[in-house]
Amino acid sequence: MEFQKSPDGGWGWVIVVVSFFTQFLSYGSPLAVGVLYVEWLDAFGEGKGKTAWVGSLASGVGLLASPVCSLFVSSFGARPVTIFSGFLVAGGLMLSSLAPNIYFLFFSYGIVVGLGCGLLYTATVTITCQYFDSRRGLALGLISTGSSVGLFIYAALQRMLIEFYGLDGCLLIVGALALNILACGSLMRPLQTSDCPFPEKTAPENVPDRYSMYNEKEKNQEETMNFQDKGYGSEDKCLPNGDWGRETSLPKSPTVAPHTKEPEPYKKKVVEQTNFCKQLAKRKWQLYRNYCRETASLFKNKVFSALFIAILLFDIGGFPPSLLMEDVARSYHVREEDFTMPLISIFGIMTAVGKLLLGILADFKWINTLYLYVATLIITGLALCAIPFAKSYVTLAILSGILGFLTGNWSIFPYVTTKTVGIDRLAHAYGILMFFAGLGNSLGPPIVGWFYDWTQTYDIAFYFSGFCVLLGGFVLLLAILPCWDMCNKRLLKPAAPTTFFYKVASTV
């Protein structure tokens, strides 16, 4: 199926709106899980590291399964995947209200909800990139603010629902709200040419027709044979007794001949089935080989290799504040009376602002999006290292706002990936990068929680987080510096100047 040229508007703005609400409804609760995290600590009495696995799995599993999610979106389209994922998210949230222990939440909230969110994120990003080209940065920034606005609203909403209906009632109501994703998915009309010819039937569709043709032939031959058998039987009864042995030998030859030819259609059918299976296996193997070959070619790109290291380290260090900031304030003995606004809400609203502004900046031609992304990584690492020095609500709120704004670089990450590998390989490359991002999301909060369980303070944990993000930023910076390309060009062409001067000297 051939896609039209990106319209950069029209129905694309409807796609932006429904993608915004899809991310709002799906990521609102998982990103605001810090409110639920404190309640789960009190309800189940487990350690901070083990309890943090619930929220980290919810954000990490979907990203870990990004290659599979990309395959589903490419195979079935964004609309069916969105509708199916809406059931996953809503069902997982409602099932979590029945959790008897923390291990049940690992499955219901961490895996089921996380997988649904991963499918929804891949579907919304892919269909938005198809509808927009020159305004892609703005469109991605708008849809990615849905999750941030969801974080801001769901942080206060879940706290209010817990006060009125308890933890179980809160999860049931939030799960019911997630069913609205089905309505959003129904509006995701695929972008395709209206005048493209219908695809021809593939081999799997043609083979059953051939089989039915052979079955009809075989059936007709069997009916003819039966008729002949009956006819010869009646003639045999009318033969005289004296010529019985001689006459019966004559009708046997035509009855034997069809039986000797009977296996031929069956053999053809078996050969056809065998050839079809061989072609199908060969085609599948070719697809796997092409996938592996394309993956290897992606990693030969030094910028892409540095990008996957950067996103892995960024999510290990940069994701824990959105989950643990409320508990950080409680561990620093910040009084609840000083909380004019939840820290997670500040983090969420500033993430929305960051996604929108960074997405707009990415559309300016004079701004290099790779350098912009590196700048956000380095500043994020420095802000994480400053968290141990923040002992009051005001300083924690300021750092939450800074970290939230810089976490908005998620809106330009698909833009960076597209510029690095091209739009044709976006789904493949983005799925691989999101796998490493999910690995970082899954490991980050438990590592920070284990640091607290060992040291009874968050100081060393956030020094470690800041170091990880800074390391990823500098690795990517070294990969994109133009001096490396100049060095490579000089190494590739060392003999050209000497040969030229030698020829000139010989002609003088």
Side-chain angles (χ1 to χ4, degrees):
M1 182 177 293
E2 298 179 357
F3 290 103
Q4 295 176 353
K5 183 180 178 181
S6 301
D8 279 319
W11 192 260
W13 295 117
V14 178
I15 298 295
V16 169
V17 172
V18 297
S19 298
F20 172 89
F21 281 105
T22 298
Q23 293 200 15
F24 171 84
L25 295 167
S26 60
Y27 278 96
S29 180
L31 290 181
V33 74
V35 177
L36 305 176
Y37 171 75
V38 178
E39 298 295 328
W40 287 330
L41 283 174
D42 299 335
F44 300 114
E46 301 287 350
K48 295 181 184 294
K50 183 183 292 186
T51 309
W53 272 108
V54 180
S56 64
L57 284 175
S59 298
V61 166
L63 297 177
L64 285 171
S66 288
V68 180
C69 297
S70 300
L71 179 62
F72 283 169
V73 174
S74 301
S75 302
F76 303 106
R79 178 188 287 170
V81 171
T82 301
I83 294 174
F84 172 74
S85 304
F87 284 110
L88 280 182
V89 174
L93 289 171
M94 294 180 181
L95 195 61
S96 299
S97 63
L98 308 175
N101 50 52
I102 197 69
Y103 301 101
F104 189 88
L105 285 174
F106 289 163
F107 169 75
S108 62
Y109 198 97
I111 296 178
V112 177
V113 176
L115 183 60
C117 291
L119 288 168
L120 290 170
Y121 183 79
T122 305
T124 54
V125 168
T126 302
I127 195 170
T128 302
C129 289
Q130 292 173 358
Y131 269 87
F132 288 90
D133 185 13
S134 61
R135 298 179 180 178
R136 185 174 297 150
L138 175 61
L140 291 173
L142 288 173
I143 69 167
S144 60
T145 55
S147 58
S148 304
V149 175
L151 169 58
F152 173 73
I153 294 178
Y154 272 73
L157 177 63
Q158 290 184 147
R159 179 172 294 179
M160 182 183 67
L161 291 176
I162 290 172
E163 293 178 358
F164 284 99
Y165 304 104
L167 181 61
D168 299 341
C170 170
L171 290 171
L172 282 174
I173 295 173
V174 171
L177 290 175
L179 289 174
N180 291 284
I181 297 173
L182 308 180
C184 296
S186 63
L187 295 175
M188 291 185 179
R189 186 171 66 193
L191 179 65
Q192 63 186 50
T193 56
S194 58
D195 54 348
C196 61
F198 290 98
E200 296 181 357
K201 285 189 175 181
T202 57
E205 295 176 353
N206 290 333
V207 170
D209 297 336
R210 298 172 186 173
Y211 292 163
S212 61
M213 180 177 65
Y214 287 126
N215 290 335
E216 291 176 0
K217 291 181 178 179
E218 188 175 355
K219 185 176 180 181
N220 293 334
Q221 289 181 0
E222 289 178 356
E223 291 177 355
T224 305
M225 289 160 51
N226 293 334
F227 176 78
Q228 291 175 351
D229 291 340
K230 293 178 181 179
Y232 288 127
S234 61
E235 290 178 0
D236 292 341
K237 293 179 182 178
C238 298
L239 290 174
N241 295 333
D243 297 334
W244 179 264
R246 182 174 57 84
E247 295 295 335
T248 53
S249 60
L250 294 175
K252 286 183 179 179
S253 57
T255 57
V256 173
H259 283 287
T260 58
K261 296 181 180 179
E262 179 183 0
E264 292 184 1
Y266 177 75
K267 288 181 179 179
K268 291 181 180 179
K269 180 179 177 181
V270 172
V271 170
E272 190 71 24
Q273 288 178 335
T274 305
N275 292 335
F276 166 68
C277 292
K278 288 181 179 180
Q279 292 177 0
L280 184 62
K282 184 178 180 180
R283 187 178 304 161
K284 292 293 183 182
W285 175 248
Q286 189 67 27
L287 290 175
Y288 293 142
R289 288 184 59 186
N290 293 339
Y291 182 85
C292 295
R293 190 181 297 113
E294 187 177 355
T295 303
S297 66
L298 286 174
F299 280 99
K300 290 180 181 178
N301 185 343
K302 69 177 187 300
V303 178
F304 179 82
S305 300
L307 201 59
F308 96 84
I309 295 175
I311 193 64
L312 173 64
L313 295 176
F314 171 73
D315 281 277
I316 289 177
F319 178 67
S322 63
L323 175 61
L324 305 174
M325 214 58 177
E326 295 290 328
D327 194 58
V328 170
R330 189 168 68 172
S331 66
Y332 289 162
H333 305 289
V334 178
R335 297 179 302 174
E336 294 185 1
E337 292 80 8
D338 297 336
F339 278 69
T340 56
M341 183 183 293
L343 295 176
I344 297 180
S345 296
I346 297 175
F347 190 96
I349 194 63
M350 290 305 297
T351 302
V353 174
K355 287 179 177 179
L356 186 59
L357 292 182
L358 292 174
I360 294 174
L361 288 176
D363 284 333
F364 289 107
K365 296 182 179 180
W366 52 272
I367 291 181
N368 190 317
T369 52
L370 278 171
Y371 287 117
L372 179 63
Y373 186 74
V374 168
T376 60
L377 294 182
I378 294 176
I379 300 174
T380 299
L382 296 175
L384 288 170
C385 293
I387 289 180
F389 300 98
K391 303 297 182 180
S392 65
Y393 172 78
V394 176
T395 52
L396 287 174
I398 293 174
L399 288 176
S400 296
I402 294 174
L403 290 171
F405 179 85
L406 296 172
T407 306
N409 61 7
W410 273 99
S411 66
I412 64 173
F413 190 75
Y415 200 96
V416 170
T417 307
T418 305
K419 291 295 184 182
T420 303
V421 301
I423 188 64
D424 296 334
R425 298 194 290 178
L426 172 63
H428 186 189
Y430 199 74
I432 295 174
L433 293 173
M434 288 301 101
F435 173 83
F436 290 101
L439 187 62
N441 274 358
S442 301
L443 296 177
I447 290 175
V448 173
W450 288 331
F451 270 116
Y452 183 89
D453 293 336
W454 294 334
T455 62
Q456 296 302 311
T457 180
Y458 280 111
D459 295 350
I460 298 177
F462 282 108
Y463 288 142
F464 170 79
S465 299
F467 172 77
C468 288
V469 178
L470 285 173
L471 179 61
F474 283 116
V475 168
L476 183 58
L477 178 62
L478 290 175
I480 64 177
L481 286 176
C483 62
W484 294 107
D485 294 332
M486 296 179 64
C487 293
N488 292 334
K489 290 179 181 179
R490 291 175 182 175
L491 291 174
L492 290 174
K493 301 179 180 179
T498 56
T499 304
F500 174 77
F501 284 119
Y502 176 79
K503 289 182 178 180
V504 173
S506 62
T507 55
V508 173

